[in-house]
Amino acid sequence: MEERKNFTGRQKSIVLAAVALALAGTVVLTAFSTGSNKTETVYKETTAERGTLTAGISETGIASIQEVKVNFDQTATIEEIYVVTGQKVQKGDPIAKISVSSLQEEMNQKEIELVTAQLDLQKAQNNLTTETLQAQLDRETNLGYATSAQEEYDLEVAQLELDLETASQNLLDAKQKRSYYQKILDGKEINEDKYNNYKELTDDELEDMIDDLDTQIDTLTLKYHQAEINAEQGKKKAELTMRQNLIKSDTADALYENTIAELEAKVQTAQFKVEELQSDIDEAASYLADGIITATSDGTVMSVNYAVGDKIKNTDSLTSSPIAVIGNTDVVYVSVSVDQEDIGSLEIGDPAQVVLSAFEDTYYDAVIYSISTSPAMGGTSTVSYAVTVQLQGDTSGIFNGMSATVTFVSKQVEDVIYVSNRAVTVEDGKSYVKIKDENGEAVKTEVTTGFSDGSNVEIQSGVNEGDIVLIESKVSSK
């Protein structure tokens, strides 16, 4: 933190104007008449000062203090509250007292849960051992499909084709036999020897045999059609199985690794549960002596969320209310929105300056802490991004929610003599100021100028610190 006479942007101009008016003595040196009007040259006195000039992008925002939560992740009853909102505390100061008896009950329950968790961990470890062996066997089987998948497909297809061929031949044989019996019944000559013995059969016997064959042909026809369907579907299924097995072969290593990873994750989860319960038991045991919960940081108490008699629930500390919140004023942030046209010039770690409305004469050094890559504000013509700076140095006395102006420094010169831009005139390419001498006279003096922040300009030569520099202006009167 530093008290400086350097300002940026609109606020700097306003403050410098106020300083100039406070210091100025107004002197009328000359007057010129033009008809009924009179023009007067008026000089306002300012002092050449030494300090820092800064230029950059200025945006407004709100200060926020780092919040330190005082949590107690057990189920217990509040017996005493020792702090109030706004109270300053140091690390280790008592915040609250919990009931030791209620805490003992909670610890007893946690010890029972710990035994169960330890058994679950042992089971997970055993599963890791046994199922790892099975996973290794499955991996070897799956890798074998690289050579066996095609062979199994070929065998399956060959069997399907054989079944279809057999069904076709059985149907053909039945139809041929019926044809021969019909020829015998019709008195036609039969040349095949295997049917000659049937020539002695009576017509009734032949008709019975033909009827039986008709029934067989109907059955064999159905079997043949089913064999066709089985062959068509079986080939598709065999091809699918082959592809699946080839995939199993290609992914055998990955599948094995995933299986092992899942088993190990279950062990880790069970291990974490055991460690968490053991940590809770150890924490509870540490409070059994006096039940005092202490501050974990220096700062100011921002909120107290429990009263005497309230019960703290053992819930997720990320969503449950802490016993108290301490504002750590050593860590202060200011968040502002920066236009899309300017955001590209900023980087994390870049310097900035912050002035709070509550302390207008105090400037705080800061650095860019974070830059959001998602738009904070969107519209047809305006897009901006959230930028957060962290203040440096002594930040005590700052409260949450104070308004602030952040200047992202694009250029800065330190320990230079500077005057108001309005005090400098340019003639024939040379710069001049008018200095009030010891006799009260205005002396025109050539100067060498340097960096300007838009309101003030660096004087590299021609003016000394503390010189009275005159700002000239014209006024008209009747």
Side-chain angles (χ1 to χ4, degrees):
M1 181 184 69
E2 181 180 357
E3 293 192 3
R4 304 177 179 176
K5 296 299 184 181
N6 58 304
F7 304 92
T8 57
R10 178 176 178 273
Q11 184 178 29
K12 179 186 293 183
S13 299
I14 293 173
V15 174
L16 282 172
V19 172
L21 288 173
L23 296 175
T26 302
V27 181
V28 180
L29 293 184
T30 59
F32 302 93
S33 296
T34 304
S36 60
N37 293 331
K38 181 184 294 183
T39 302
E40 297 177 330
T41 301
V42 178
Y43 294 95
K44 294 182 179 179
E45 297 178 358
T46 61
T47 302
E49 299 188 30
R50 181 178 295 276
T52 300
L53 294 180
T54 302
I57 306 162
S58 293
E59 301 290 350
T60 58
I62 300 297
S64 60
I65 300 172
Q66 182 189 52
E67 295 184 355
V68 180
K69 296 180 178 180
V70 180
N71 289 309
F72 185 71
D73 300 328
Q74 308 289 330
T75 298
T77 302
I78 297 290
E79 280 191 351
E80 298 287 345
I81 294 291
Y82 300 117
V83 294
V84 295
T85 301
Q87 180 177 335
K88 293 187 179 300
V89 295
Q90 293 182 337
K91 184 177 181 179
D93 286 350
I95 299 296
K97 180 180 180 181
I98 57 175
S99 167
V100 174
S101 60
S102 64
L103 185 59
Q104 182 66 61
E105 293 176 3
E106 175 69 8
M107 191 171 74
N108 293 341
Q109 179 60 38
K110 288 292 179 68
E111 289 175 342
I112 295 173
E113 294 176 12
L114 177 60
V115 172
T116 301
Q118 289 170 334
L119 292 174
D120 290 340
L121 174 59
Q122 185 62 52
K123 180 180 179 182
Q125 291 171 333
N126 292 339
N127 288 341
L128 175 61
T129 301
T130 57
E131 294 185 29
T132 294
L133 294 175
Q134 183 61 49
Q136 290 172 342
L137 293 174
D138 292 342
R139 174 177 174 273
E140 295 302 323
T141 299
N142 290 336
L143 288 173
Y145 286 135
T147 55
S148 67
Q150 184 67 49
E151 295 176 356
E152 292 178 4
Y153 170 78
D154 292 340
L155 289 173
E156 182 67 20
V157 170
Q159 184 62 50
L160 291 169
E161 291 176 346
L162 178 61
D163 291 344
L164 179 61
E165 182 179 353
T166 300
S168 176
Q169 187 62 50
N170 290 339
L171 177 60
L172 179 61
D173 290 346
K175 288 181 176 180
Q176 288 178 341
K177 183 179 291 188
R178 185 195 183 287
S179 175
Y180 292 138
Y181 290 164
Q182 186 64 48
K183 287 179 181 179
I184 295 173
L185 182 62
D186 295 340
K188 296 180 180 180
E189 185 67 26
I190 299 301
N191 296 325
E192 288 80 354
D193 292 338
K194 62 181 179 180
Y195 295 110
N196 286 333
N197 60 327
Y198 294 107
K199 293 180 180 179
E200 304 302 325
L201 296 175
T202 65
D203 289 348
D204 290 339
E205 290 174 332
L206 287 170
E207 287 177 353
D208 289 341
M209 295 184 69
I210 289 172
D211 289 340
D212 290 341
L213 285 170
D214 285 339
T215 300
Q216 292 180 29
I217 289 171
D218 290 341
T219 300
L220 291 171
T221 299
L222 291 175
K223 288 183 177 181
Y224 174 73
H225 290 318
Q226 186 62 49
E228 285 183 316
I229 294 172
N230 290 344
E232 181 180 0
Q233 293 180 347
K235 288 178 180 179
K236 292 180 179 179
K237 183 178 179 180
E239 183 178 4
L240 177 61
T241 300
M242 179 182 68
R243 291 180 179 179
Q244 290 174 336
N245 288 339
L246 289 174
I247 291 173
K248 288 180 180 179
S249 174
D250 292 339
T251 60
D253 289 331
L255 181 62
Y256 170 78
E257 291 172 0
N258 288 341
T259 299
I260 299 303
E262 289 178 2
L263 292 170
E264 290 177 343
K266 290 179 180 179
V267 172
Q268 291 174 355
T269 300
Q271 181 69 46
F272 175 78
K273 184 63 177 179
V274 169
E275 293 173 355
E276 181 183 41
L277 287 167
Q278 187 62 62
S279 176
D280 288 346
I281 292 170
D282 293 342
E283 180 186 23
S286 69
Y287 288 100
L288 285 178
D290 57 15
I292 301 296
I293 298 173
T294 59
T296 54
S297 170
D298 296 348
T300 302
V301 178
M302 300 176 65
S303 66
V304 178
N305 300 309
Y306 290 87
V308 173
D310 287 348
K311 190 172 186 179
I312 304 172
K313 297 293 182 64
N314 181 17
T315 56
D316 184 358
S317 60
L318 296 176
T319 58
S320 60
S321 296
I323 296 175
V325 177
I326 298 173
N328 180 10
T329 55
D330 289 337
V331 183
V332 179
Y333 302 98
V334 177
S335 293
V336 297
S337 294
V338 177
D339 290 343
Q340 59 183 346
E341 292 82 3
D342 299 321
I343 195 69
S345 65
L346 304 181
E347 294 183 1
I348 292 176
D350 282 354
Q353 280 189 349
V354 177
V355 60
L356 299 166
S357 298
F359 312 111
E360 292 185 347
D361 294 331
T362 302
Y363 282 72
Y364 296 87
D365 290 327
V367 294
I368 296 179
Y369 178 78
S370 66
I371 301 174
S372 174
T373 57
S374 300
M377 298 170 58
T380 57
S381 61
T382 301
V383 177
S384 61
Y385 297 83
V387 178
T388 300
V389 301
Q390 182 175 352
L391 277 62
Q392 308 293 299
D394 183 8
T395 53
S396 59
I398 298 178
F399 285 82
N400 229 23
M402 283 185 170
S403 58
T405 298
V406 178
T407 299
F408 299 100
V409 179
S410 58
K411 184 174 181 180
Q412 186 178 71
V413 292
E414 298 179 344
D415 194 29
V416 297
I417 296 172
Y418 63 88
V419 300
S420 170
N421 282 343
R422 295 184 298 139
V424 180
T425 59
V426 179
E427 297 178 12
D428 299 327
K430 296 181 178 181
S431 300
Y432 298 90
V433 299
K434 290 184 179 180
I435 300 175
K436 183 179 179 180
D437 65 12
E438 57 187 13
N439 298 320
E441 300 294 330
V443 179
K444 183 177 180 180
T445 305
E446 183 179 353
V447 296
T448 302
T449 60
F451 171 67
S452 174
D453 64 5
S455 298
N456 302 285
V457 62
E458 174 190 1
I459 303 298
Q460 297 176 341
S461 66
V463 174
N464 296 316
E465 181 182 357
D467 285 349
I468 302 300
V469 179
L470 303 176
I471 299 176
E472 181 181 308
S473 61
K474 305 289 187 179
V475 295
S476 299
S477 62
K478 293 184 179 180

